[in-house]
Structures are given as structure tokens and as C-alpha cells.
């Protein structure tokens, strides 16, 4: 087997058990995406092993080979911005642990839009909690909280992210703030939002994992709320262990070896599928299936739905003979006579099985919960004036819809 350079994930570290467990879980998720690669973790501070030790251990586990073009190891920082740790502390630790080996060092994570999409999902969860009233984005302010750094570039990037979140989510207002080092502070930003007349505010921490910063944030928000009884404030969850961050880390590793990963855009070949009279399999009968099935029927597809249970809409389609509904769990043989497959189950493990079964039979599959896990994407589509417009973007549905609408407006003016 060709030698694969080991990967060392360089994390900040925390003494809080929950945050440390989430960090290690993310590294395990990365390792699952790189089954032939030795994946280790080192910490800047507050946890063991340190980065120098982790680099040395990785080079012992996978000894360098003379004459190779690839680096002997790759270090990817599990940090969002270009602060002091990224610029100085981690490079110093690499130097201390590498010996004579060649170690490639990737950049921080935040420039990749997938990190922003993971953050937006946390904001969405705060807007629409399962146990409380949903808030409309257009009536809500978000205070976006960064750590704060002595490096101006990192602080400026935080402002850029705030503007993008504002535009992409359709929020009433997004105010950047910092938990330490810089202003505006969290109370400053909360007061600015309240002064503009808004009474619903989501405080969204741009932190990867829970730790001391999360505790400080809760304390500051709690103190502010006590003196502003007319304002409702919800604190969003930290970004945490998730597919998006794992994918970015994997791509950072692969790029150091000269190969492209999932990337920031949508590297697809655009084509139109003629599904008239052809079998399409939809696994799952929830909200995603309810949105996709009418489009497939409009294209003339013969739709078969496989799901243990179905809601009112899909059950109604089956009762009217529009779709064939099979009330059971998925079986790999379900894809055998399909031309196209939509994996839209509520269970990620089931969607993974569907995608694998379709891949084994060379059938294109859209995976609703993790687009990169399938072999096809569903574009944002619309028709106007005899023209169909389809937009495949960077896995941000809101952005794709916004571009689609702008294109339609331009076409209507022609």
C-alpha cells in the first residue's frame, strides 16, 4: 500500500470534559473519512498530548520514506481564524516535534463556507426550538460572538462573517461582538440591538466547542437580560462536532498532498434528466420527500416511496395513485430498477445505506442530509417564460434560491 502521510489535528484544548469529548469525537469523524490515514490530535494548551508530542508520535507510527514528493506529515489547525495560536504557537510546536521530517501546515478553517453553514444551522435551531415558539428571522437580531484576537485580520474576518450571515439568513440585524480582547462586547451589542427596537435576540457563539468561553458568554448574557426584562434572548449552541467541520479538515489535509477534496463550490457536470416513465426511488416520507416528490411527478417519473411510516401528504399521493408507497424499511434491492434515487430518510445511517447501494449499482443518488455523501445534487429550480433556471451552489440552499430568484428577475426583464 502507498504510504499515506499521517494527519495531526491541532486543537486549542479545554479543561471542560464535554468540550474535550466533542473535540475528540470530531477527530474520530475525520478519521472515519480517511480510513487509510493515521489521524492524531494535539493541543495548544489545557489538554494532552501537546502538538509537538502528537507530531512526533505520528512520525513514529508512520515513518517518513526517503525520496517521496508528499510531506512526511500534515498538521491541520482546528481553529477558525488566523490568530496568535495559528501564526506562532502551532508552528513552533511543529518545529519542536518534527525532527528532520517535512511537515506541511494547513490554514485555519473559517474561510471555508461550510463552517458558516454549520454556524447558520445552530442559529436556525435557536430560531425554531422544538420546545418553544418559532421566531421569524425577519423579526430577529443575531449577536454573533467571536473570541477576539490581537490580529486585525481575524477580527475583520468576524465582521465579514456577520455580514454574510445577515444576507444569507434574511435576519433583521446581525451585530458582531467579541467575548474578550476587543469591542464591541456582548453587552454592547445586545444593547445596540435593543436600542433599535428589537425584542427578540439570538446570541450565536462562533466557537467550535463548549468551554470557558461558553461559560463567560452565558454569564454576560444572563446579567444583561436581568436588566432588560422586555427583551427575549436565546443562546445558540456552539458549532460542535459535525459533518461540515470534518469535511473541511479532510479537504485541508488532501490539498497539502496536491489533491482536491469536496472544495468550496459544487464540482458537478450540469445536465437535465428526462425521467418521463422512468422509475425513481424515494427513501423516506417526511418533509424533504414531500418537497421532492411533486417535482419528480411533474417530470413524469414513476415514483416509488419506501418508508416505515408516511405523513398526510405522501399518504394522500399514494391513495390517489400518484406514487407507490411501500410501508417498510429500506432494503438494498429497492434500488435495483431505479434510474434515480433520493435518500431522504430521517436517519443518517439509512441515507448512507441508500447512497452505498446506489453507488454499487451505478445509479445516481441525491442524499438530502449530507449532499457530499451522494453522487448528485438537487438544484434550486424554477420556470419562467419557457426557460428553466437551475442553480447548483456551494451547498447553501438559501444562497442558491437567492441566485435563482435574481436570475428569474433578470430573465423577466428581457
Amino acid at each position: 500500500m502507498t504510504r499515506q502521510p499521517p494527519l495531526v489535528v491541532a486543537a486549542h484544548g479545554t479543561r471542560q470534559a464535554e468540550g474535550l469529548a466533542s473535540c475528540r469525537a470530531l477527530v474520530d469523524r475525520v478519521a472515519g473519512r480517511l480510513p487509510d490515514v493515521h489521524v492524531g490530535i494535539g493541543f495548544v494548551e489545557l489538554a494532552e498530548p501537546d502538538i509537538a508530542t502528537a507530531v512526533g508520535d505520528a512520525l513514529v507510527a508512520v515513518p517518513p520514506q526517503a525520496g517521496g514528493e508528499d510531506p512526511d506529515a500534515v498538521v491541520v489547525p482546528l481553529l477558525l481564524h488566523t490568530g496568535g495560536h495559528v501564526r506562532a504557537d502551532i508552528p513552533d510546536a511543529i518545529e519542536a516535534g518534527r525532527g528532520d521530517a517535512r511537515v506541511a501546515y494547513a490554514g485555519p478553517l473559517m474561510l471555508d463556507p461550510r463552517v458558516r453553514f454549520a454556524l447558520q444551522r445552530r442559529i436556525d435551531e435557536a430560531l425554531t426550538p422544538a420546545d418553544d415558539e418559532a421566531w421569524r428571522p425577519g423579526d430577529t437580531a443575531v449577536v454573533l460572538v467571536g473570541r477576539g484576537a490581537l490580529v486585525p485580520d481575524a477580527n475583520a474576518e468576524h465582521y465579514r462573517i456577520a455580514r454574510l450571515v445577515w444576507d444569507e439568513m434574511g435576519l433583521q440585524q446581525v451585530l458582531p461582538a467579541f467575548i474578550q480582547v476587543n469591542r464591541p462586547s456582548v453587552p454592547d451589542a445586545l444593547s445596540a440591538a435593543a436600542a433599535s427596537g428589537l425584542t427578540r435576540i439570538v446570541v450565536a457563539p462562533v466557537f467550535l466547542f463548549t468551554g470557558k468561553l461558553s461559560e463567560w458568554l452565558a454569564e454576560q448574557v444572563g446579567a444583561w437580560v436581568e436588566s432588560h426584562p422586555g427583551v427575549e434572548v436565546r443562546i445558540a449552541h456552539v458549532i460542535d462536532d459535525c459533518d461540515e467541520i470534518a469535511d473541511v479538515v479532510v479537504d485541508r489535509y488532501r490539498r497539502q498532498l496536491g489533491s482536491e477534496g469536496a472544495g468550496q463550490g459544487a464540482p458537478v457536470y450540469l445536465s437535465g434528466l428526462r425521467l418521463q416513465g422512468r422509475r425513481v426511488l424515494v427513501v423516506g416520507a417526511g418533509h424533504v420527500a414531500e418537497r421532492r416528490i411533486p417535482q419528480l411527478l411533474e417530470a413524469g417519473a414513476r415514483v416509488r416511496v419506501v418508508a416505515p411510516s408516511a405523513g398526510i401528504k405522501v399518504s394522500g399521493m399514494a391513495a390517489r395513485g400518484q406514487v407507490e408507497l411501500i410501508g417498510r424499511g429500506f432494503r438494498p434491492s429497492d434500488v435495483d430498477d431505479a434510474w434515480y434515487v433520493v435518500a431522504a430518510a430521517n436517519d443518517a445511517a439509512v441515507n448512507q445505506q441508500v447512497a452505498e447501494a446506489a453507488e454499487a449499482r451505478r445509479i445516481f443518488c441525491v442524499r438530502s442530509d449530507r449532499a457530499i455523501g451522494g453522487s448528485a445534487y438537487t438544484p434550486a429550480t424554477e420556470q419562467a417564460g419557457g426557460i428553466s433556471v437551475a442553480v447548483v451552489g456551494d451547498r447553501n440552499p438559501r444562497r442558491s434560491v437567492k441566485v435563482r430568484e435574481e436570475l428569474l428577475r433578470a430573465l423577466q426583464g428581457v
Side-chain angles (χ1 to χ4, degrees):
M1 181 181 296
T2 303
R3 177 188 184 273
Q4 296 294 313
L7 164 62
V8 175
V9 178
H12 183 277
T14 177
R15 292 190 179 93
Q16 190 179 84
E18 180 185 351
L20 193 60
S22 294
C23 180
R24 294 188 183 279
L26 176 65
V27 174
D28 289 342
R29 191 185 296 264
V30 170
R33 286 160 162 71
L34 298 169
D36 298 325
V37 177
H38 172 90
V39 179
I41 184 172
F43 298 94
V44 174
E45 57 186 3
L46 305 177
E48 298 293 337
D50 59 38
I51 294 168
T53 300
V55 170
D57 290 347
L59 292 167
V60 169
V62 186
Q65 294 179 352
E69 295 183 359
D70 288 334
D72 298 318
V74 175
V75 173
V76 176
L78 196 58
L79 296 169
L80 296 177
H81 296 297
T82 305
H85 291 322
V86 170
R87 292 192 176 195
D89 297 337
I90 297 176
D92 288 348
I94 294 172
E95 189 65 24
R98 72 177 182 86
D100 296 328
R102 298 170 300 153
V103 177
Y105 181 41
L109 307 181
M110 184 47 100
L111 290 177
D112 194 294
R114 288 168 289 182
V115 182
R116 189 170 74 253
F117 304 158
L119 169 65
Q120 290 176 358
R121 186 173 65 251
R122 295 306 188 193
I123 296 173
D124 267 330
E125 291 168 356
L127 288 169
T128 58
D131 57 351
D132 205 345
E133 177 188 0
W135 291 357
R136 291 180 62 253
D139 298 331
T140 307
V142 167
V143 172
L144 202 67
V145 184
R147 178 183 181 126
L150 295 174
V151 178
D153 287 351
N155 300 322
E157 180 64 17
H158 184 66
Y159 271 77
R160 175 179 173 273
I161 297 304
R163 184 71 238 187
L164 288 168
V165 169
W166 190 346
D167 289 345
E168 292 171 353
M169 297 194 70
L171 295 154
Q172 177 63 32
Q173 193 176 43
V174 176
L175 298 96
F178 300 98
I179 194 69
Q180 60 181 12
V181 181
N182 298 305
R183 299 186 75 89
S185 66
V186 174
D188 290 341
L190 286 167
S191 296
S196 67
L198 293 170
T199 58
R200 291 179 168 178
I201 304 172
V202 171
V203 175
V206 191
F207 309 156
L208 280 177
F209 307 108
T210 187
K212 198 65 179 176
L213 296 183
S214 301
E215 295 177 7
W216 293 343
L217 180 60
E219 292 169 0
Q220 292 182 22
V221 171
W224 188 90
V225 168
E226 284 184 5
S227 60
H228 296 78
V231 181
E232 297 179 83
V233 179
R234 295 173 179 170
I235 301 178
H237 197 272
V238 296
I239 295 172
D240 222 338
D241 167 36
C242 62
D243 286 330
E244 291 93 340
I245 303 300
D247 288 338
V248 175
V249 172
V250 169
D251 280 3
R252 290 286 194 270
Y253 168 80
R254 286 175 172 160
R255 286 174 190 155
Q256 297 304 310
L257 307 182
S259 62
E260 289 299 321
Q264 296 184 6
V268 297
Y269 179 82
L270 291 177
S271 180
L273 297 181
R274 298 180 61 186
L275 296 176
Q276 181 74 38
R278 293 183 167 92
R279 172 76 65 196
V280 172
L281 173 68
V282 178
V283 178
H287 294 306
V288 175
E290 291 172 354
R291 294 198 307 269
R292 298 284 183 261
I293 291 173
Q295 296 172 322
L296 294 168
L297 293 174
E298 188 175 327
R302 295 162 51 227
V303 178
R304 175 179 292 157
V305 180
V306 174
S309 61
I312 295 175
K313 289 185 178 180
V314 175
S315 297
M317 293 178 195
R320 293 189 295 271
Q322 295 174 293
V323 303
E324 176 188 359
L325 177 60
I326 301 177
R328 58 164 171 77
F330 170 74
R331 300 171 184 168
S333 59
D334 289 332
V335 308
D336 285 347
D337 62 344
W339 288 71
Y340 190 69
V341 175
V342 178
N346 293 326
D347 187 336
V350 173
N351 288 334
Q352 177 68 20
Q353 293 172 11
V354 175
E356 290 176 352
E359 183 74 14
R361 293 159 177 79
R362 299 182 181 181
I363 301 168
F364 283 106
C365 173
V366 171
R367 184 169 167 181
S368 63
D369 61 328
R370 183 171 175 260
I372 196 173
S375 54
Y377 296 158
T378 298
T381 60
E382 192 60 80
Q383 295 183 351
I387 297 176
S388 297
V389 173
V391 177
V392 178
D394 49 7
R395 292 182 291 279
N396 181 353
R398 284 191 183 87
R399 187 181 185 196
S400 296
V401 169
K402 184 177 180 181
V403 172
R404 181 198 66 190
E405 298 303 324
E406 291 174 354
L407 288 171
L408 284 172
R409 281 195 293 270
L411 288 171
Q412 288 167 355
V414 175

